[in-house]
Amino acid sequence: MIYAIIETNNKQIWVTPGKFYDVDKISAEPGDYIKLSKILFFKKEKETTIGKPCIDNIYAKGRILKHFKSRKITVFKMKPKKNMYSKNGHRQTMSRILIESINTTQKK
């Protein structure tokens, strides 16, 4: 089993090839290929690599499937005894990426 822990938009995600993940919006068009080079941890069968903080010669290749908005989150603020309250909603824009492979670059 091959998997890695990557960092994107200051969030760490456990990824495996062939699966899709929802991350904060990436500024690229759907269908574009991206290279995620901040790999913090890599595991392939019995080989384990830990970065300090990142691994230099490993990257994940992914493809952006679509952009969408996540589910709505309600933000409710209230100050007691002051008759003050506010109710707002927020929907974060997200990107769905498909991790196609986790590759290594050979050092020359």
Side-chain angles (χ1 to χ4, degrees), residues 19-64:
K19 294 187 179 180
F20 63 88
Y21 300 92
D22 297 335
V23 297
D24 288 342
K25 187 171 182 182
I26 298 172
S27 59
E29 296 298 319
D32 289 349
Y33 287 94
I34 57 172
K35 179 181 175 181
L36 302 167
S37 58
K38 287 190 176 181
I39 307 292
L40 306 174
F41 180 86
F42 178 69
K43 173 93 172 169
K44 182 177 184 180
E45 274 83 39
K46 295 183 179 180
E47 174 190 343
T48 302
T49 308
I50 300 173
K52 295 178 185 176
C54 296
I55 305 169
D56 295 333
N57 61 346
I58 298 176
Y59 66 94
K61 180 181 173 188
R63 183 166 46 97
I64 296 179

Side-chain angles (χ1 to χ4, degrees), residues 57-72:
N57 61 346
I58 298 176
Y59 66 94
K61 180 181 173 188
R63 183 166 46 97
I64 296 179
L65 299 177
K66 67 177 182 173
H67 299 299
F68 64 97
K69 288 188 173 183
S70 64
R71 63 183 189 87
K72 182 176 265 191

